[in-house]
Amino acid sequence: GKVSVCGFDIIKDSLNVRKNIGYLPESAPSYPDMNVMAFLGFIASIRGFNGVDAKKSIDRVVQICELENVLYKKIETLSKGFKQRTSFAQALLHDPKVLVLDEPTDGLDPNQKYIVRKLIRDLGKEKTIILSTHILEEVDAVCDRAIIISNGSIVANGTPAALRQTSQFFGAVTLLVNPSDFQKAKKSLEELPSVKSVETKDVENQHSFTIVPKDKNIPITGIITDTAKNNDWGFTQIFTDQGRLEDVFRQLTTKS
């Protein structure tokens, strides 16, 4: 096969391909004994920037990645979040059209994840970003399109929302029922013609029902609430499942 980036063939014109790509490897490798400014200056020189051009490029990525407060600190002394943002900055120095990010939020705390996700979403307005991750929460948080690869082949390609709709639980309704209403609720739910299956389990002295519809595209929440009212039983919680990317991933990548 053939691959091109921004119109350049990766075999015939690999240098121009690399000029158009910024890369953030997993675990944000860098030079721990350098401070942030020295590291970015080093990367700028490798990319061919000197003098005023180098300063402009460094100033731009420092502002984008919010590194002003750690510019003269050694990289080895930084938190994981700042280490990640420093390596992110080096990937942006030459203002590439394409960014390749490998597990960009792995190991970050919720606040750090928020900052990196926002950075990715903002950059995605102007650049093509390829994000490689096994953390499907990240796919939902930042991606416009998801591709699942299994054994070297593409097995799914679509928006996260479209992929979630292929989940076996898409459209399923979960509700909590008091123990005194268990049998009455179970019987009336199982008799509904629009229901495919009813699964039960105990949750904190209440019974949890997961009701899977026969047709995912026809909402059954209203039918269930009407059934509860007409058969004189109540529930304390109810929600409709929007599909789970983890289930879709497992369906597509495992034989079982």
Side-chain angles (χ1 to χ4, degrees):
K2 294 182 179 180
V3 177
S4 66
V5 178
C6 300
F8 298 107
D9 186 282
I10 64 168
I11 301 298
K12 297 176 182 177
D13 207 347
S14 66
L15 190 57
N16 274 322
V17 167
R18 282 176 278 168
K19 285 180 179 179
N20 280 283
I21 292 177
Y23 177 43
L24 174 63
E26 187 176 2
S27 301
S30 57
Y31 293 96
D33 56 332
M34 283 185 170
N35 66 39
V36 174
M37 178 60 88
F39 175 64
L40 294 178
F42 171 61
I43 298 298
S45 66
I46 289 176
R47 287 289 184 183
F49 294 101
N50 295 294
V52 175
D53 290 339
K55 185 179 185 306
K56 284 183 179 178
S57 297
I58 292 171
D59 288 346
R60 178 176 57 82
V61 297
V62 165
Q63 183 178 6
I64 291 172
C65 298
E66 299 181 20
L67 295 170
E68 293 87 350
N69 294 332
V70 297
L71 273 182
Y72 298 99
K73 291 184 178 180
K74 279 192 174 183
I75 292 173
E76 65 184 358
T77 68
L78 301 179
S79 68
K80 188 159 187 178
F82 273 116
K83 286 178 181 176
Q84 195 80 338
R85 283 149 64 180
T86 299
S87 290
F88 213 135
Q90 68 78 25
L92 294 170
L93 259 173
H94 55 302
D95 198 19
K97 295 180 181 178
V98 178
L99 276 174
V100 180
L101 311 178
D102 189 2
E103 302 287 6
T105 63
D106 185 33
L108 301 185
D109 68 35
N111 291 331
Q112 294 165 342
K113 280 186 180 181
Y114 174 82
I115 292 169
V116 173
R117 286 174 180 173
K118 183 178 184 302
L119 184 55
I120 293 170
R121 285 193 294 267
D122 289 344
L123 291 169
K125 296 172 184 177
E126 300 177 353
K127 302 180 185 299
T128 297
I129 299 179
I130 300 171
L131 190 154
S132 174
T133 183
H134 291 90
I135 306 170
L136 298 184
E137 172 192 347
E138 297 306 312
V139 177
D140 257 336
V142 300
C143 294
D144 299 315
R145 177 174 161 211
I147 297 173
I148 297 176
I149 297 174
S150 179
N151 295 318
S153 298
I154 293 175
V155 294
N157 183 351
T159 65
L163 293 186
R164 280 199 306 273
Q165 289 179 23
T166 66
S167 165
Q168 60 183 322
F169 292 105
F170 178 77
V173 173
T174 297
L175 69 159
L176 287 180
V177 176
N178 291 323
S180 58
D181 288 333
F182 171 68
Q183 291 298 339
K184 193 185 297 185
K186 187 173 186 294
K187 183 175 185 297
S188 60
L189 289 170
E190 288 176 340
E191 291 174 349
L192 290 173
S194 55
V195 167
K196 178 182 178 182
S197 64
V198 178
E199 299 175 14
T200 63
K201 64 179 180 180
D202 291 334
V203 179
E204 297 178 353
N205 298 321
Q206 290 185 309
H207 290 287
S208 170
F209 287 88
T210 298
I211 303 102
V212 180
K214 287 182 178 177
D215 187 338
K216 296 179 181 180
N217 298 312
I218 299 178
I220 59 171
T221 306
I223 295 171
I224 290 170
T225 56
D226 288 345
T227 298
K229 182 178 179 181
N230 295 337
N231 290 274
D232 194 28
W233 55 267
F235 52 85
T236 57
Q237 290 183 34
I238 185 169
F239 69 89
T240 303
D241 203 310
Q242 298 303 309
R244 311 167 195 174
L245 286 180
E246 288 84 358
D247 292 326
V248 176
F249 186 89
R250 282 182 51 77
Q251 287 168 208
L252 295 171
T253 59
T254 61
K255 292 181 180 178
S256 60

